[in-house]
CSV table of all heavy atoms in Angstrom, one decimal:
chain,number,residue,atom,x,y,z
W,1498,THR,N,21.6,-18.2,5.3
W,1498,THR,CA,22.7,-18.9,4.6
W,1498,THR,C,22.2,-20.0,3.9
W,1498,THR,O,22.9,-20.5,2.8
W,1498,THR,CB,23.8,-19.2,5.6
W,1498,THR,OG1,23.2,-20.0,6.7
W,1498,THR,CG2,24.3,-18.0,6.3
W,1499,ALA,N,21.2,-20.7,4.3
W,1499,ALA,CA,20.7,-21.9,3.6
W,1499,ALA,C,20.2,-21.6,2.1
W,1499,ALA,O,20.2,-22.5,1.3
W,1499,ALA,CB,19.6,-22.7,4.4
W,1500,GLN,N,19.9,-20.4,1.9
W,1500,GLN,CA,19.3,-20.0,0.5
W,1500,GLN,C,20.4,-19.6,-0.4
W,1500,GLN,O,20.2,-19.4,-1.7
W,1500,GLN,CB,18.2,-18.9,0.7
W,1500,GLN,CG,17.1,-19.3,1.6
W,1500,GLN,CD,16.1,-18.2,1.8
W,1500,GLN,OE1,15.3,-17.9,0.9
W,1500,GLN,NE2,16.2,-17.3,2.8
W,1501,ALA,N,21.6,-19.3,0.2
W,1501,ALA,CA,22.7,-18.7,-0.6
W,1501,ALA,C,23.2,-19.7,-1.6
W,1501,ALA,O,23.3,-20.9,-1.3
W,1501,ALA,CB,23.8,-18.1,0.2
W,1502,ASP,N,23.5,-19.3,-2.8
W,1502,ASP,CA,23.9,-20.2,-3.9
W,1502,ASP,C,24.9,-19.4,-4.8
W,1502,ASP,O,24.7,-19.1,-5.9
W,1502,ASP,CB,22.7,-20.7,-4.7
W,1502,ASP,CG,23.2,-21.7,-5.7
W,1502,ASP,OD1,24.3,-22.2,-5.6
W,1502,ASP,OD2,22.5,-22.0,-6.7
W,1503,PRO,N,26.0,-18.9,-4.2
W,1503,PRO,CA,27.0,-17.9,-4.9
W,1503,PRO,C,27.4,-18.4,-6.1
W,1503,PRO,O,27.9,-17.7,-7.1
W,1503,PRO,CB,28.0,-17.6,-3.9
W,1503,PRO,CG,28.0,-18.8,-2.9
W,1503,PRO,CD,26.6,-19.2,-2.9
W,1504,GLU,N,27.6,-19.7,-6.3
W,1504,GLU,CA,28.1,-20.4,-7.5
W,1504,GLU,C,27.1,-20.8,-8.4
W,1504,GLU,O,27.3,-21.5,-9.5
W,1504,GLU,CB,29.1,-21.5,-7.2
W,1504,GLU,CG,30.2,-21.1,-6.2
W,1504,GLU,CD,31.1,-20.0,-6.7
W,1504,GLU,OE1,31.2,-20.0,-8.0
W,1504,GLU,OE2,31.5,-19.2,-6.0
W,1505,ASP,N,25.7,-20.6,-8.1
W,1505,ASP,CA,24.6,-21.1,-8.9
W,1505,ASP,C,24.8,-22.6,-9.2
W,1505,ASP,O,24.5,-23.0,-10.3
W,1505,ASP,CB,24.4,-20.3,-10.2
W,1505,ASP,CG,23.1,-20.6,-10.9
W,1505,ASP,OD1,22.2,-21.1,-10.1
W,1505,ASP,OD2,23.0,-20.4,-11.9
W,1506,ARG,N,25.1,-23.4,-8.1
W,1506,ARG,CA,25.3,-24.7,-8.4
W,1506,ARG,C,23.9,-25.5,-8.8
W,1506,ARG,O,24.0,-26.6,-9.4
W,1506,ARG,CB,25.8,-25.4,-7.0
W,1506,ARG,CG,27.2,-25.0,-6.8
W,1506,ARG,CD,27.7,-25.7,-5.5
W,1506,ARG,NE,29.1,-25.3,-5.3
W,1506,ARG,CZ,29.9,-25.7,-4.3
W,1506,ARG,NH1,29.4,-26.5,-3.4
W,1506,ARG,NH2,31.1,-25.3,-4.2
W,1507,ASN,N,22.8,-25.0,-8.4
W,1507,ASN,CA,21.6,-25.6,-8.9
W,1507,ASN,C,21.2,-25.2,-10.3
W,1507,ASN,O,20.2,-25.7,-10.9
W,1507,ASN,CB,20.4,-25.4,-7.9
W,1507,ASN,CG,20.0,-23.9,-7.9
W,1507,ASN,OD1,20.5,-23.0,-8.6
W,1507,ASN,ND2,19.1,-23.6,-6.9
W,1508,GLY,N,21.9,-24.3,-10.9
W,1508,GLY,CA,21.7,-23.9,-12.3
W,1508,GLY,C,20.4,-23.2,-12.7
W,1508,GLY,O,20.0,-23.2,-13.8
W,1509,ASP,N,19.8,-22.5,-11.7
W,1509,ASP,CA,18.6,-21.8,-12.0
W,1509,ASP,C,18.8,-20.4,-12.4
W,1509,ASP,O,17.9,-19.6,-12.6
W,1509,ASP,CB,17.7,-22.0,-10.7
W,1509,ASP,CG,18.1,-21.2,-9.6
W,1509,ASP,OD1,19.3,-20.7,-9.6
W,1509,ASP,OD2,17.4,-21.1,-8.5
W,1510,GLY,N,20.1,-20.0,-12.5
W,1510,GLY,CA,20.4,-18.6,-12.9
W,1510,GLY,C,20.3,-17.6,-11.9
W,1510,GLY,O,20.5,-16.4,-12.0
W,1511,ILE,N,20.1,-18.1,-10.5
W,1511,ILE,CA,20.0,-17.2,-9.5
W,1511,ILE,C,21.1,-17.6,-8.5
W,1511,ILE,O,21.2,-18.8,-8.0
W,1511,ILE,CB,18.6,-17.3,-8.7
W,1511,ILE,CG1,17.6,-16.9,-9.7
W,1511,ILE,CG2,18.6,-16.5,-7.5
W,1511,ILE,CD1,16.2,-17.1,-9.3
W,1512,SER,N,22.0,-16.6,-8.0
W,1512,SER,CA,23.1,-16.9,-7.2
W,1512,SER,C,23.2,-15.9,-6.1
W,1512,SER,O,24.1,-15.1,-6.0
W,1512,SER,CB,24.4,-16.8,-8.0
W,1512,SER,OG,24.5,-15.6,-8.7
W,1513,GLY,N,22.3,-16.0,-5.1
W,1513,GLY,CA,22.2,-15.0,-4.1
W,1513,GLY,C,23.4,-15.2,-3.1
W,1513,GLY,O,23.9,-16.4,-2.9
W,1514,ARG,N,23.9,-14.1,-2.6
W,1514,ARG,CA,25.1,-14.1,-1.7
W,1514,ARG,C,24.7,-13.5,-0.4
W,1514,ARG,O,24.0,-12.5,-0.2
W,1514,ARG,CB,26.2,-13.3,-2.3
W,1514,ARG,CG,26.8,-13.9,-3.5
W,1514,ARG,CD,28.1,-13.4,-4.0
W,1514,ARG,NE,28.1,-12.0,-4.1
W,1514,ARG,CZ,28.9,-11.1,-3.4
W,1514,ARG,NH1,29.7,-11.6,-2.5
W,1514,ARG,NH2,28.9,-9.8,-3.6
W,1515,VAL,N,25.3,-14.0,0.7
W,1515,VAL,CA,25.1,-13.5,2.0
W,1515,VAL,C,26.0,-12.2,2.2
W,1515,VAL,O,27.2,-12.2,1.7
W,1515,VAL,CB,25.5,-14.5,3.1
W,1515,VAL,CG1,25.4,-13.8,4.5
W,1515,VAL,CG2,24.6,-15.7,3.1
W,1516,SER,N,25.5,-11.2,2.7
W,1516,SER,CA,26.3,-10.0,2.9
W,1516,SER,C,27.0,-10.1,4.3
W,1516,SER,O,26.3,-10.2,5.3
W,1516,SER,CB,25.4,-8.7,2.9
W,1516,SER,OG,26.2,-7.6,3.2
W,1517,HIS,N,28.4,-10.1,4.2
W,1517,HIS,CA,29.1,-10.2,5.5
W,1517,HIS,C,29.7,-8.8,5.8
W,1517,HIS,O,30.4,-8.1,5.0
W,1517,HIS,CB,30.3,-11.1,5.3
W,1517,HIS,CG,29.9,-12.5,5.1
W,1517,HIS,ND1,29.4,-13.3,5.9
W,1517,HIS,CD2,29.9,-13.2,3.8
W,1517,HIS,CE1,29.0,-14.5,5.4
W,1517,HIS,NE2,29.4,-14.4,4.1
W,1518,VAL,N,29.2,-8.3,7.0
W,1518,VAL,CA,29.6,-6.8,7.4
W,1518,VAL,C,30.0,-6.8,8.9
W,1518,VAL,O,29.8,-7.7,9.6
W,1518,VAL,CB,28.3,-5.9,7.2
W,1518,VAL,CG1,28.0,-5.8,5.7
W,1518,VAL,CG2,27.2,-6.4,8.0
W,1519,PRO,N,30.8,-5.7,9.1
W,1519,PRO,CA,31.2,-5.6,10.6
W,1519,PRO,C,30.1,-5.3,11.5
W,1519,PRO,O,29.3,-4.4,11.3
W,1519,PRO,CB,32.2,-4.5,10.5
W,1519,PRO,CG,31.9,-3.6,9.2
W,1519,PRO,CD,31.3,-4.7,8.2
W,1520,ASP,N,30.1,-6.0,12.6
W,1520,ASP,CA,29.1,-5.7,13.8
W,1520,ASP,C,29.9,-4.9,14.7
W,1520,ASP,O,30.8,-5.5,15.4
W,1520,ASP,CB,28.6,-7.0,14.4
W,1520,ASP,CG,27.6,-6.7,15.4
W,1520,ASP,OD1,27.7,-5.6,16.2
W,1520,ASP,OD2,26.7,-7.5,15.6
W,1521,GLU,N,29.6,-3.6,14.7
W,1521,GLU,CA,30.5,-2.7,15.5
W,1521,GLU,C,30.3,-2.8,17.0
W,1521,GLU,O,31.1,-2.3,17.8
W,1521,GLU,CB,30.2,-1.3,15.1
W,1521,GLU,CG,30.7,-1.1,13.6
W,1521,GLU,CD,30.1,0.2,13.0
W,1521,GLU,OE1,29.3,1.0,13.7
W,1521,GLU,OE2,30.1,0.3,11.7
W,1522,ALA,N,29.2,-3.5,17.5
W,1522,ALA,CA,29.1,-3.7,18.9
W,1522,ALA,C,29.9,-4.9,19.4
W,1522,ALA,O,30.3,-4.9,20.5
W,1522,ALA,CB,27.6,-3.9,19.2
W,1523,THR,N,30.0,-5.9,18.6
W,1523,THR,CA,30.7,-7.1,19.0
W,1523,THR,C,32.1,-7.2,18.5
W,1523,THR,O,33.0,-8.0,18.9
W,1523,THR,CB,29.9,-8.3,18.5
W,1523,THR,OG1,29.9,-8.3,17.1
W,1523,THR,CG2,28.5,-8.3,19.0
W,1524,GLY,N,32.4,-6.5,17.4
W,1524,GLY,CA,33.7,-6.5,16.7
W,1524,GLY,C,33.9,-7.7,15.8
W,1524,GLY,O,35.0,-7.9,15.3
W,1525,ILE,N,32.9,-8.5,15.6
W,1525,ILE,CA,32.9,-9.6,14.8
W,1525,ILE,C,32.2,-9.3,13.4
W,1525,ILE,O,31.3,-8.4,13.4
W,1525,ILE,CB,32.5,-11.0,15.4
W,1525,ILE,CG1,31.0,-10.8,15.8
W,1525,ILE,CG2,33.3,-11.2,16.6
W,1525,ILE,CD1,30.5,-12.1,16.3
W,1526,THR,N,32.3,-10.2,12.4
W,1526,THR,CA,31.5,-10.0,11.3
W,1526,THR,C,30.2,-10.7,11.4
W,1526,THR,O,30.1,-11.9,11.8
W,1526,THR,CB,32.3,-10.8,10.1
W,1526,THR,OG1,33.6,-10.0,9.9
W,1526,THR,CG2,31.6,-10.6,8.8
W,1527,GLY,N,29.3,-10.0,10.9
W,1527,GLY,CA,27.8,-10.5,11.0
W,1527,GLY,C,27.2,-10.5,9.7
W,1527,GLY,O,27.8,-10.1,8.6
W,1528,ILE,N,25.9,-11.0,9.6
W,1528,ILE,CA,25.1,-11.0,8.4
W,1528,ILE,C,24.4,-9.7,8.3
W,1528,ILE,O,23.8,-9.2,9.0
W,1528,ILE,CB,24.1,-12.1,8.4
W,1528,ILE,CG1,24.8,-13.5,8.3
W,1528,ILE,CG2,23.2,-12.0,7.3
W,1528,ILE,CD1,23.8,-14.6,8.5
W,1529,GLY,N,24.7,-9.0,7.1
W,1529,GLY,CA,24.0,-7.8,6.7
W,1529,GLY,C,22.5,-8.0,6.5
W,1529,GLY,O,22.2,-8.8,5.6
Side-chain angles (χ1 to χ4, degrees):
T1498 56
Q1500 299 177 86
D1502 186 17
E1504 305 301 326
D1505 190 21
R1506 292 184 176 178
N1507 64 6
D1509 66 353
I1511 299 172
S1512 52
R1514 295 195 302 124
V1515 176
S1516 175
H1517 299 286
V1518 295
D1520 185 325
E1521 293 160 14
T1523 64
I1525 63 177
T1526 299
I1528 293 178

